[in-house]
Amino acid sequence: MSASYGKNWNPADHYRDDAVARNYDRQRFTSLSGRLFNSLEKRLIGKAFAGLAPGSVIGDAPCGTGRLAEVLLESGFSVVGVDISPQMLATARERLGRFGERFRTATYDAKTLASSGHRFDAALCARVLMHFPLSEQIAFLRGVAAVTDGRLVFTQGIDTGWHRVRRWLKRGLPIQRPAVYPLTRSDLRQLIEQAGLREIKRYRVLPVLSESLVIVTEPLPVKAAE
Ligand SMILES: C[S@@+](CC[C@H](N)C(=O)[O-])C[C@H]1O[C@@H](n2cnc3c(N)ncnc32)[C@H](O)[C@@H]1O
């Protein structure tokens, strides 16, 4: 990833590029730490959806190159990969063609996905919220929450004193910068509440070493009219 990766960087545009899409997995997940993170995160995504009825349809928004959709398909679910980037979805279709009709794609902005008419038994929203300030994270997660009455699993980075020190130490290294907008604990509570969700469970991808969390939520119960 180039030096332009930072706050002046728009994730809705950046991935609409063939070369970016082709190189996405290789650039992030082939180093030793990348492979470790990838395999731990995939294991947790598998756990986060455990217990869902076989054959359930999961909306993966954003799907990117289908990295995590693959885990869900291997677990016996069907997946609709949603992304704003046709290039990322083309890479996902190449990767996941062996699953036939169980994997489909839809090019949409996740924030307005409800207007597409899609509904899912559950949804995944991974590795994207961190790119936006909190208000946009809320809008994004609300958009995904609007298309399911079931479980919604998302990933985010947590901002603690320790992780700020780690980010500061890594500043000069020629590696991809960490989460651009990680959240404090209270921001995270706000994100979940304002997206109309409640937390059921959370997993840490690599306790102490990584700021990444996998958070399992469900819709807040609708209050009965008084
Ligand atoms: C870092 S990739 C993560 C993909 C995948 N979830 C994963 O974990 O590998 C972020 C993706 O978000 C997509 N994206 C950015 N803004 C979006 C939006 N508003 N609606 C849908 N997808 C969006 C990008 O096109 C890109 O494919």
Side-chain angles (χ1 to χ4, degrees):
M1 175 97 19
S2 74
S4 65
Y5 188 81
K7 295 208 173 179
N8 297 322
W9 176 83
N10 181 355
D13 290 337
H14 176 76
Y15 295 96
R16 286 191 250 200
D17 180 293
D18 284 327
V20 169
R22 266 197 313 275
N23 293 323
Y24 175 81
D25 289 82
R26 190 178 50 73
Q27 281 187 337
R28 284 164 191 75
F29 304 115
T30 48
S31 68
L32 189 58
S33 59
R35 274 185 291 150
L36 176 66
F37 181 90
N38 195 27
S39 101
L40 291 171
E41 190 180 45
K42 284 180 167 178
R43 195 171 61 84
L44 292 181
I45 294 296
K47 270 177 122 167
F49 284 97
L52 213 63
S56 294
V57 181
I58 301 177
D60 179 9
C63 169
T65 59
R67 186 178 68 94
L68 298 176
E70 190 165 30
V71 176
L72 302 175
L73 290 159
E74 282 167 350
S75 305
F77 304 121
S78 292
V79 176
V80 178
V82 175
D83 205 286
I84 207 164
S85 159
Q87 291 82 357
M88 292 294 268
L89 289 179
T91 306
R93 282 192 299 273
E94 266 174 44
R95 172 191 220 140
L96 303 174
R98 68 185 188 281
F99 294 100
E101 284 298 299
R102 281 209 288 127
F103 179 65
R104 287 169 292 129
T105 58
T107 308
Y108 275 103
D109 183 331
K111 297 195 286 300
T112 54
L113 186 55
S115 65
S116 70
H118 279 99
R119 297 290 304 166
F120 306 113
D121 299 315
L124 170 64
C125 179
R127 272 182 93 90
V128 72
L129 298 176
M130 69 219 188
H131 292 315
F132 306 112
L134 179 59
S135 60
E136 290 178 43
Q137 293 190 29
I138 293 169
F140 201 110
L141 199 59
R142 260 195 201 148
V144 182
V147 292
T148 182
D149 296 322
R151 196 178 305 183
L152 192 169
V153 176
F154 71 94
T155 68
Q156 179 47 296
I158 191 83
D159 195 22
T160 61
W162 159 240
H163 290 112
R164 278 194 289 279
V165 170
R166 281 190 68 244
R167 277 198 294 279
W168 185 82
L169 290 172
K170 284 164 81 179
R171 265 175 332 155
L173 298 180
I175 52 172
Q176 185 192 326
R177 305 248 185 94
V180 182
Y181 295 98
L183 299 183
T184 62
R185 290 191 169 88
S186 98
D187 288 343
L188 193 55
R189 271 196 300 278
Q190 201 183 327
L191 169 68
I192 292 171
E193 262 172 48
Q194 294 198 12
L197 300 168
R198 73 171 172 199
E199 182 172 338
I200 306 172
K201 197 172 179 98
R202 71 170 64 179
Y203 302 98
R204 301 198 76 122
V205 177
L206 250 178
V208 184
L209 287 180
S210 162
E211 60 202 33
S212 295
L213 300 174
V214 173
I215 299 178
V216 185
T217 66
E218 64 183 8
L220 276 171
V222 180
K223 286 198 183 113
E226 301 195 355

